[in-house]
Amino acid sequence: MVIATDIEPQEPPMIEVRDLDFAYGAKLALEDINLKVARHRVTALIGPSGCGKSTLLRCINRMNQRLPGAHIRRGSIRIEGHDIHDPRVSLTLLRQRVGMVFQKSNPFPKSIHDNVAFGLRIAGVSDPVVLDEAVERALRAAALWDELKDRLHQHAHSLSGGQQQRLCIARAVATRPAVLLMDEPCSALDPIATLKIEELLGQLAQEHTVVIVTHNMQQAVRVSHDTAFLHLGRLVEHAPTAQLFDNPQQALTEAYLRGTF
Amino acid sequence: MLTRRVRGSWRGSALTQRLIRSGFAGSASVTIIVLALIMLFLLREGAGFLGTYRRELETYRRCGLEFCDLVDRPLAQQEDLAGSLRRALSSSLEPLIGQARARRDEALRLKREVDQLTQTQREVFEQAQALPAAQAAAALPEATKALSAALKAASAAVVIAPILSAKQATDLRLQLSTQIPGKEQPLALINQLQQEFLRVDKEAKARFEGLQEAIETLEEAPEDLRETLSELKELALAAKEQATLHHTLEEGRQKLLNAAQNARDPKEKAALLKEAEASHSEPPDESALQAQIAELREPLVLHIGAYSAKVDQLALHLPEAEIQLPEAMELLQKTAQALPRHAAAMRASVPELRQWKADAPVHLRSVLGAFFFGTQWLTNSSWQDFFGFLPLLSGSLIIALIAIAMATPLSVAAAIYCNQFASPREREWIKPVIEFIQAIPSVVLGFIGISLLGDLLKDLSQLPMLSWIPGFPIAERLNMFNAGCLLALMAIPTMFSLAEDALNNVPQAYIDASEALGATQLQTIFRVIVPAALSGMGAAVLLGLGRVIGETMVVLLVAGNRIAIPDFSDSVGVVFQPAHTLTGIIAQELGEVSRGSAHWQALFMVGIVLFAISLAVNAMARAMVRRFELPKS
Ligand SMILES: Nc1ncnc2c1ncn2[C@@H]1O[C@H](COP(=O)(O)OP(=O)(O)O)[C@@H](O)[C@H]1O
Ligand SMILES: [Mg+2]
């Protein structure tokens, strides 16, 4: 791989994964991943169960580093050209730039308002006016404001499943992250709630770069601009969604899409 | 943390499965039945209490004991007041006479010591003296010589405190060495020191004549009142004795009659009936007593009036000018303030005396009130037993609060540390060590409280630099604080384990979410994990409280067992007073009372209330956990 990207005149890609090998202890989970994600695009990660989609996602905000034995063997990950493992990069700042939404909605057992304000509060914001503004903006971004504006101080667990997941999205975007990582955010939701979140993704892409893991092909087609197909820890193909689905370049991709695996 | 071990599914024949099932169901139902039986038993024993206590209180009223107490209770303060005046006097005298007294006492102590050192020789000498003349003549010189030598040696050897001057010391040694019985030289120095002390004492007392006079006035003031009162008391006691006797006989008669009714054999029946007839007794006639009470009522009121007037007068004329010492001054001022209050309390008893009626019924309400709000737990009294619950409850509650106040921060902090910060290796030994505390038998902890902690506290409290702590220096080694400390130690393992569980039960998903938002470990712990575990930790505290209130051995050994409502005038210092507890009183007294007596039943009532408190605390803990239950993750 040529190390030319750094001196390229145009701005660096939002996310850039280079030659990444990642292992859980002795077990290699990702191998030789190279991936560039451009600004304001929705990228879908697809692939069979256990192929390493979540692992890749969690590498991007370093959520894996807490696990004992989990480590990067080779390669690097850059956000806007900055290596996220640079010792000068603070984990707190990285995670404020790279938000995450989990498979199962996990609002804190606090009020709606406190949930959304959490990220700002831990970053040291305490001015109630600033917090209220940020909460409103985040809830609007998650299409929750109209539903919840009169009950901000209710307990978050009083919301429906779909609302809770959108609350988690609001919580993640409240700190205005550049990147939003979503790990199968709809897998526990009913079709209507899923639809709402899918609608939301288009809007979110206007402000954020979104990487979404999904096991649902139709969803990938509906929401993403680009799709990356992983298989057994390797990135098999990465292309604009329409192209990858209509005209896969790799036999493996085609077999997977057709279900003849 | 979140992984659940998958158990291999176990399959057996349907019969074995049914057997195992019913085995478990059986154990559960045995437990529940035993619990129900315990409750039933407690209730059965305690249920009679209200009736028995009501009857006792009725007798107390009918026989005029209550009437006497109307005056006697406020009058009891008079002795305290006289006592504090006496203390003011003696602390004022002390600096004036202390030296002289110490010199005299030192000389007397030395004489005793020399006597002791020469005791053997003295005995030999005395035996020789007692011999018939002929033998005595042979033995005496020898014995005299020995005694004289011993006296010389002893009086040279004793150590004389520097309070005596060098000359006095030599004189004393000389005089002590010549104390051969029969030929003693007068102990001139000791006499001289004694004279000196008496002179100084007299002089000093002369300077506090006013105060002495005040003490005498206060001590003599209620003489007339007391005389009339004790006359009344005697009458009342005699009447009570008769009433009790009648009650006992009547009870026995009823039993015999019952037995007769159930007897099959007509001969046996006749015998029982005859016996019952023999134990028949007339209910005592109390009209004479009531007439006497009515007759003495007005003289009593007059005495009260005269006494209160004297007390008021005294309050105005306390000789404050004589006193210089600050502590004596303080005592005097406090007494001066208390005297008018005492007089007022005495006067307040007059309308009560006038309204009092021997035959007013004792309502069930007031029996309940006398138990639950009674301020006296007084048993085996020659006057009247009272079963008031408050002294015991206050002791139990204060001790429990001390224990919880100490155990909560410790166990919560330990749980947070162990759950969040400790390395797996540390965790491996911290948890067993804390849980090991549970294995210490409570009687051993009691030991520690008596022998170690008590002395330590007392010594600490004597340090001048700690005297700012309210209640210091403490008077009693065994007190509520001491017991509270040990109970805290006992509660820590339970509270720690439960708090740790609560922290463990916080879903990993919350922690993930918090970390993904950029929270540091500390922020995650204190903004997410601890708040989410708060209800569980609250339940831990409540269950700790339940354990502490129910604990018996430590409080019995260490709390000091003084049955009185603690004196809260010293604010937080109240914790250094001794107290008795709900559990301790049962353990201490149940073995000694006669079955079925009011005292016995009262102890069961205490047991019932204790049981109810424990149930309530447990129910609260459960409700707390349920109310804030976290979603299963
Ligand atoms: N915490 C972990 N420890 C060890 N191995 C893991 C861990 N998490 C995932 N793996 C392994 O890494 C591989 C990729 O897992 P994952 O990224 O969760 O797959 P996907 O999300 O695509 O289903 C799997 O083989 C899985 O067993
Ligand atoms: Mg996954």
Side-chain angles (χ1 to χ4, degrees):
Chain A
M1 188 78 198
V2 196
I3 320 171
T5 35
D6 266 359
I7 43 168
E8 271 169 16
Q10 80 260 41
E11 61 176 12
M14 194 68 214
I15 307 170
E16 185 181 6
V17 182
R18 280 193 208 163
D19 305 334
L20 184 72
D21 286 1
F22 180 87
Y24 290 109
K27 183 175 178 295
L28 205 58
L30 295 175
E31 208 178 337
D32 199 28
I33 305 281
N34 280 286
L35 180 73
K36 285 184 191 168
V37 177
R39 215 167 275 272
H40 298 321
R41 290 184 72 86
V42 177
T43 302
L45 292 183
I46 60 169
S49 186
C51 69
K53 306 181 295 289
S54 299
T55 304
L56 178 57
L57 204 66
R58 295 163 72 91
C59 279
I60 298 174
N61 70 346
R62 291 175 58 185
M63 278 296 275
N64 273 330
Q65 73 171 34
R66 181 172 33 131
L67 304 172
H71 65 286
I72 290 184
R73 283 220 186 133
R74 191 172 68 96
S76 64
I77 300 169
R78 283 157 200 264
I79 303 286
E80 294 179 304
H82 300 291
D83 187 340
I84 63 169
H85 291 94
D86 187 322
R88 285 167 301 180
V89 170
S90 101
L91 200 58
T92 303
L93 279 180
L94 169 70
R95 287 177 179 168
Q96 278 166 14
R97 294 293 287 157
V98 183
M100 187 166 207
V101 176
F102 296 81
Q103 188 166 355
K104 209 167 159 283
S105 65
N106 55 359
F108 298 126
K110 299 174 188 287
S111 72
I112 293 167
H113 182 279
D114 288 350
N115 261 284
V116 182
F118 186 88
L120 290 161
R121 286 222 171 97
I122 58 173
V125 179
S126 58
D127 182 348
V129 181
V130 177
L131 286 176
D132 286 348
E133 262 174 33
V135 168
E136 178 174 348
R137 184 173 40 71
L139 285 174
R140 279 191 197 284
L144 272 175
W145 177 253
D146 294 330
E147 287 163 60
L148 301 185
K149 63 176 178 229
D150 299 324
R151 36 194 279 220
L152 292 180
H153 293 283
Q154 267 182 19
H155 201 273
H157 291 171
S158 65
L159 301 179
S160 73
Q163 285 176 322
Q164 289 195 14
Q165 190 61 300
R166 277 184 285 147
L167 181 66
C168 291
I169 294 174
R171 184 175 66 185
V173 300
T175 52
R176 293 181 180 260
V179 177
L180 197 57
L181 308 173
M182 304 175 110
D183 192 348
E184 305 194 31
C186 304
S187 66
L189 300 181
D190 61 63
I192 296 176
T194 303
L195 192 68
K196 279 199 174 151
I197 290 188
E198 287 179 3
E199 281 170 2
L200 204 58
L201 280 167
Q203 290 169 37
L204 286 172
Q206 290 170 9
E207 281 208 40
H208 312 275
T209 303
V210 180
V211 180
I212 177 169
V213 171
T214 175
H215 57 233
N216 180 335
M217 300 307 147
Q218 281 74 43
Q219 186 171 61
V221 173
R222 282 195 299 269
V223 303
S224 69
H225 305 122
D226 301 309
T227 298
F229 170 57
L230 274 83
H231 182 55
L232 293 179
R234 288 176 171 277
L235 180 64
V236 177
E237 191 167 351
H238 177 207
T241 302
Q243 185 189 322
L244 186 127
F245 276 85
D246 295 341
N247 185 13
Q249 301 295 304
Q250 303 286 330
L252 211 53
T253 317
E254 197 175 350
Y256 179 68
L257 293 177
R258 274 212 242 100
T260 59
F261 220 37
Chain B
M1 215 180 322
L2 291 178
T3 55
R4 293 211 183 93
R5 230 169 272 150
V6 183
R7 295 195 189 88
S9 64
W10 183 89
R11 287 204 173 76
S13 73
L15 181 65
T16 3
Q17 287 212 9
R18 267 222 305 281
L19 275 178
I20 289 175
R21 224 187 89 122
S22 54
F24 281 109
S27 319
S29 37
V30 164
T31 319
I32 291 169
I33 289 171
V34 167
L35 190 66
L37 283 179
I38 290 175
M39 281 162 77
L40 213 72
F41 174 72
L42 275 179
L43 283 177
R44 203 197 62 180
E45 293 291 333
F49 172 73
L50 291 181
T52 318
Y53 196 29
R54 180 192 206 158
R55 210 197 63 238
E56 290 207 346
L57 288 179
E58 259 166 11
T59 313
Y60 171 66
R61 177 168 292 171
R62 228 180 35 243
C63 298
L65 285 83
E66 187 185 47
F67 184 80
C68 298
D69 275 347
L70 287 178
V71 186
D72 212 21
R73 287 241 170 85
L75 193 56
Q77 239 224 316
Q78 176 254 356
E79 278 161 28
D80 294 346
L81 290 169
S84 52
L85 284 184
R86 247 177 277 126
R87 257 179 298 145
L89 176 63
S90 64
S91 64
S92 300
L93 286 175
E94 186 56 32
L96 301 177
I97 63 168
Q99 286 268 326
R101 193 183 49 210
R103 270 198 289 271
R104 179 202 60 180
D105 288 351
E106 175 68 4
L108 286 174
R109 183 187 71 78
L110 290 165
K111 177 171 181 331
R112 267 199 312 279
E113 207 174 310
V114 170
D115 281 354
Q116 232 164 40
L117 286 170
T118 57
Q119 186 158 8
T120 358
Q121 288 83 357
R122 189 180 307 277
E123 271 163 19
V124 173
F125 177 80
E126 274 160 9
Q127 276 163 11
Q129 261 187 333
L131 289 172
Q135 289 165 11
L140 250 180
E142 185 98 349
T144 315
K145 228 168 104 188
L147 178 57
S148 161
L151 278 170
K152 275 211 178 74
S155 46
V158 288
V159 181
I160 299 181
I163 192 164
L164 295 180
S165 69
K167 167 142 193 333
Q168 284 172 328
T170 14
D171 286 358
L172 190 62
R173 282 187 209 280
L174 192 69
Q175 286 165 20
L176 284 175
S177 68
T178 56
Q179 290 304 298
I180 305 219
K183 317 184 208 163
E184 295 110 325
Q185 308 294 316
L187 280 167
L189 188 72
I190 293 187
N191 283 337
Q192 185 195 328
L193 288 173
Q194 169 74 357
Q195 292 306 323
E196 170 77 12
F197 167 68
L198 288 177
R199 187 181 58 74
V200 170
D201 190 50
K202 205 167 150 203
E203 267 175 33
K205 284 207 171 122
R207 292 177 56 182
F208 297 104
E209 235 166 23
L211 187 51
Q212 264 178 310
E213 223 167 88
I215 294 172
E216 269 163 39
T217 315
L218 186 55
E219 275 172 349
E220 283 163 15
E223 255 170 23
D224 295 340
L225 178 56
R226 282 236 155 89
E227 205 171 303
T228 313
L229 194 59
S230 63
E231 201 178 319
L232 257 176
K233 276 173 153 180
E234 251 166 64
L235 291 171
L237 265 185
K240 182 179 164 186
E241 207 166 300
Q242 276 203 341
T244 317
L245 182 67
H246 169 68
H247 178 76
T248 320
L249 284 175
E250 188 60 25
E251 226 173 28
R253 198 171 72 92
Q254 282 302 330
K255 265 191 201 143
L256 286 171
L257 285 177
N258 280 344
Q261 218 158 44
N262 294 336
R264 296 250 169 71
D265 182 3
K267 243 204 266 170
E268 194 187 324
K269 188 166 184 161
L272 282 168
L273 278 175
K274 207 172 146 206
E275 214 179 314
E277 195 52 43
S279 68
H280 181 79
S281 81
E282 284 299 321
D285 180 16
E286 276 135 10
S287 60
L289 171 78
Q290 274 152 32
Q292 266 160 323
I293 291 179
E295 202 175 297
L296 284 174
R297 195 192 312 244
E298 283 317 309
L300 202 59
V301 168
L302 279 181
H303 288 320
I304 292 174
Y307 170 66
S308 342
K310 279 186 203 161
V311 171
D312 273 339
Q313 196 64 23
L314 183 65
L316 293 177
H317 295 102
L318 278 182
E320 298 191 15
E322 286 175 3
I323 308 288
Q324 272 109 39
L325 231 61
E327 66 242 47
M329 198 66 198
E330 203 187 314
L331 271 172
L332 202 70
Q333 272 163 2
K334 271 194 185 153
T335 318
Q337 283 162 11
L339 280 171
R341 265 182 276 143
H342 172 53
M346 287 307 296
R347 285 202 185 93
S349 69
V350 171
E352 289 177 50
L353 284 178
R354 292 211 165 115
Q355 274 156 27
W356 182 84
K357 280 201 185 62
D359 46 7
V362 177
H363 293 292
L364 201 61
R365 199 165 7 98
S366 49
V367 179
L368 282 172
F371 178 71
F372 282 106
F373 302 106
T375 55
Q376 264 185 308
W377 180 278
L378 196 65
T379 55
N380 299 330
S381 156
S382 58
W383 176 248
Q384 173 73 30
D385 285 357
F386 290 105
F387 305 105
F389 183 67
L390 280 187
L392 307 172
L393 183 71
S394 57
S396 274
L397 283 186
I398 294 175
I399 292 175
L401 287 182
I402 298 167
I404 291 302
M406 288 204 277
T408 303
L410 285 176
S411 45
V412 166
I416 291 176
Y417 178 78
C418 194
N419 190 264
Q420 294 294 324
F421 296 106
S423 67
R425 293 247 328 262
E426 278 180 301
R427 207 169 303 162
E428 223 163 76
W429 64 265
I430 292 179
K431 279 175 87 169
V433 166
I434 292 184
E435 275 152 19
F436 175 76
I437 298 175
Q438 238 164 0
I440 305 176
S442 55
V443 72
V444 173
L445 280 181
F447 242 70
I448 295 174
I450 291 174
S451 59
L452 202 86
L453 193 56
D455 289 335
L456 191 74
L457 275 176
K458 188 148 191 197
D459 291 350
L460 271 181
S461 78
Q462 250 121 33
L463 293 182
M465 63 188 208
L466 289 180
S467 62
W468 52 270
I469 298 177
F472 272 25
I474 59 179
E476 304 286 340
R477 270 184 325 129
L478 302 184
N479 55 46
M480 294 190 272
F481 184 78
N482 191 342
C485 289
L486 294 167
L487 285 187
L489 194 63
M490 293 188 75
I492 281 176
T494 318
M495 288 168 67
F496 165 81
S497 295
L498 290 169
E500 224 251 344
D501 280 352
L503 290 169
N504 240 340
N505 285 341
V506 174
Q508 181 64 30
Y510 295 166
I511 301 167
D512 287 346
S514 169
E515 287 182 357
L517 285 164
T520 61
Q521 189 190 13
L522 277 181
Q523 285 172 327
T524 303
I525 290 173
F526 289 107
R527 293 179 187 230
V528 176
I529 301 179
V530 171
L534 220 48
S535 66
M537 294 205 270
V541 171
L542 281 176
L543 289 175
L545 181 70
R547 170 142 175 65
V548 161
I549 285 192
E551 162 56 35
T552 307
M553 190 47 94
V554 165
V555 291
L556 188 61
L557 291 176
V558 183
N561 297 354
R562 185 178 74 188
I563 311 179
I565 294 183
D567 173 15
F568 286 93
S569 62
D570 203 4
S571 71
V572 196
V574 70
V575 300
F576 297 109
Q577 291 173 20
H580 219 312
T581 54
L582 299 175
T583 49
I585 201 91
I586 298 179
Q588 188 180 353
E589 294 184 347
L590 196 60
E592 296 167 4
V593 300
S594 61
R595 257 187 104 98
S597 65
H599 189 180
W600 162 277
Q601 291 172 330
L603 290 175
F604 270 87
M605 275 299 279
V606 174
I608 292 173
V609 177
L610 197 59
F611 196 71
I613 292 175
S614 298
L615 276 185
V617 168
N618 263 292
M620 254 153 59
R622 293 178 137 275
M624 191 161 207
V625 170
R626 207 171 313 133
R627 168 103 170 62
F628 299 101
E629 202 161 25
L630 296 170
K632 292 270 179 300
S633 61

